[in-house]
Amino acid sequence: MNNIGNMIQFQIYQEMLSPEPNPNKLPVVYEEWGEKAREVLKDGPYYYVAGGAGSERTMDANLEAFNRWKLVPKMFRNVENRNLSVTLFGHTIPYPVLSAPIGVQSIIHKDGELASARASAELGVPYITSSASTIPMEKIAEAMGDAPRWFQLYWSKDPDIAKSFVQRAEASGYSAIVVTLDTPMMAWREYDLKNAYLPFLAGEGVGNYFTDPAFCAKLDQSPEEDPLSAIMHWTQVFGNASLTWDDLAFLRKHTKLPIILKGILQPDDAKLALEHGVDGIIVSNHGGRQVDGAIAALDALPLVCEVIQDQIPVLMDSGIRRGSDIIKAMALGAKAVLVGRPCMYGLAVAGEQGVKEVLQNMIADLDITIGLSGVSSVQDLDESILTKEDDKRILRPSQI
Ligand code: FNR
């Protein structure tokens, strides 16, 4: 949709002309979604979503990193028609935005992943189904029709499950496999420990496992007959801390889909990813939920892109909150970004409609901000639009 920003903006302003204020009006300000989510969620689920690892300094760093880069808008550039589309792995998507893989959404809203997947599908935003979704991947696929979707793999300790997951994903119309590398085990999350809250132990987020033939084959009784034993078995097979780069060959053997590695922060790992022939990478620190004190994802992005040299797409997440964040990430080399927590606050507050409005508003903001910055296509974004806070070159008249 061309110039979605102006359209959405106008739609919202038009409410001014209606005689009665809309009692169901949802937030527009990002921070208000978070505040409203806090009101509707109990401590356990709220902190599971909003919290991070350890001191949560990585979570803060993700946001601060965006703030250190400033846009330097260009003028007189004919920005009447903007193009936000990007092509990834042979498919063109309307906006450089994907819905990040997020598990256990049933703890936030009764419709869980189905609401998020439907909202993404409506906008043409690819939805990345998590291995840890409460609703099984086939049901999510069914709710999405032909809309684009990827599957995120938590690589199980049991290779039969890992193999089965990617094959099920391929069979139900997912078009890429995102392998999350940063979660071979749950991180030290102080709030979840304080609240003694791990939703999987209550049978949430295990939908893909409980419907998986390879998982069920190792149980004495079905998960319906003996859920507790099934959950205990899940705790044994969920993560796999023994994986190394050599294991990628196993995955390549079992799927023809593009393989995208999520959680890359080291330039050397980017080099290894290239050497092992993966199809894409996602620079991410899991929203500050895994390694306390880790580098902000945005700060890791430039060096990773320097290694990759456009040979494969580099995506990023961790800290995307507004349109300008997307512009900064793309100017530093990302081909597209993943949106995580904002969608979850939308889901908590207003289900499918909430997720849709969060994404739609962020895309509208992107469209308007890119235009105001003097750029008419996201594909033209580069570092010429950016300056760093401590870099005063831009102010020196001799250089203008
Ligand atoms: C996640 N994330 C995540 N990642 C993944 O690969 N598989 C998963 O199942 C989950 N689950 C999950 C649950 C919750 C509640 C959150 C908040 C995050 C990480 C997610 O994909 C993404 O990397 C982060 O959300 C990005 O950080 P921000 O922008 O949301 O802060």
Side-chain angles (χ1 to χ4, degrees), residues 264-320:
I264 299 287
L265 295 167
Q266 281 265 358
D268 282 351
D269 282 347
K271 195 160 163 257
L272 283 164
L274 277 182
E275 285 167 12
H276 285 79
V278 305
D279 301 281
I281 60 179
I282 303 174
V283 173
S284 165
N285 58 28
H286 212 110
R289 299 164 68 76
Q290 286 300 100
V291 176
D292 185 26
I295 184 173
L298 191 75
D299 288 338
L301 182 65
L303 281 184
V304 167
C305 290
E306 208 174 295
V307 170
I308 297 293
Q309 291 288 323
D310 266 342
Q311 294 175 73
I312 53 172
V314 176
L315 282 65
M316 81 82 65
D317 75 23
S318 300
I320 299 290

Side-chain angles (χ1 to χ4, degrees), residues 136-202:
M137 64 179 104
E138 291 84 358
K139 286 228 154 57
I140 295 172
E142 213 177 283
M144 293 188 71
D146 292 336
R149 50 186 175 267
W150 297 359
F151 179 73
Q152 176 266 326
L153 178 70
Y154 276 138
W155 192 321
S156 169
K157 192 172 278 170
D158 181 343
D160 293 341
I161 298 176
K163 177 179 152 195
S164 174
F165 271 22
V166 293
Q167 291 180 337
R168 287 170 60 190
E170 206 163 330
S172 48
Y174 290 85
S175 61
I177 302 290
V178 173
V179 187
T180 299
L181 303 181
D182 55 24
T183 314
M185 61 192 96
M186 294 290 166
W188 186 256
R189 296 180 187 161
E190 293 182 6
Y191 281 96
D192 293 347
L193 293 160
K194 174 182 162 188
N195 296 325
Y197 187 76
L198 186 64
F200 306 98
L201 296 187

Side-chain angles (χ1 to χ4, degrees), residues 23-51:
N24 302 318
K25 186 165 167 67
L26 293 171
V28 176
V29 179
Y30 164 71
E31 287 76 10
E32 288 179 11
W33 285 104
E35 286 158 19
K36 281 208 177 337
R38 174 63 281 218
E39 286 167 20
V40 300
L41 295 174
K42 295 207 172 91
D43 281 2
Y46 175 74
Y47 284 103
Y48 187 79
V49 174

Side-chain angles (χ1 to χ4, degrees), residues 5 40 59 91 98 119 133 149 167 173 226 255 257 265 278 350 376:
V40 300
M59 222 165 68
H91 299 282
L98 296 93
S133 58
R149 50 186 175 267
Q167 291 180 337
D226 185 359
T255 181
L257 297 177
L265 295 167
V278 305
S376 52

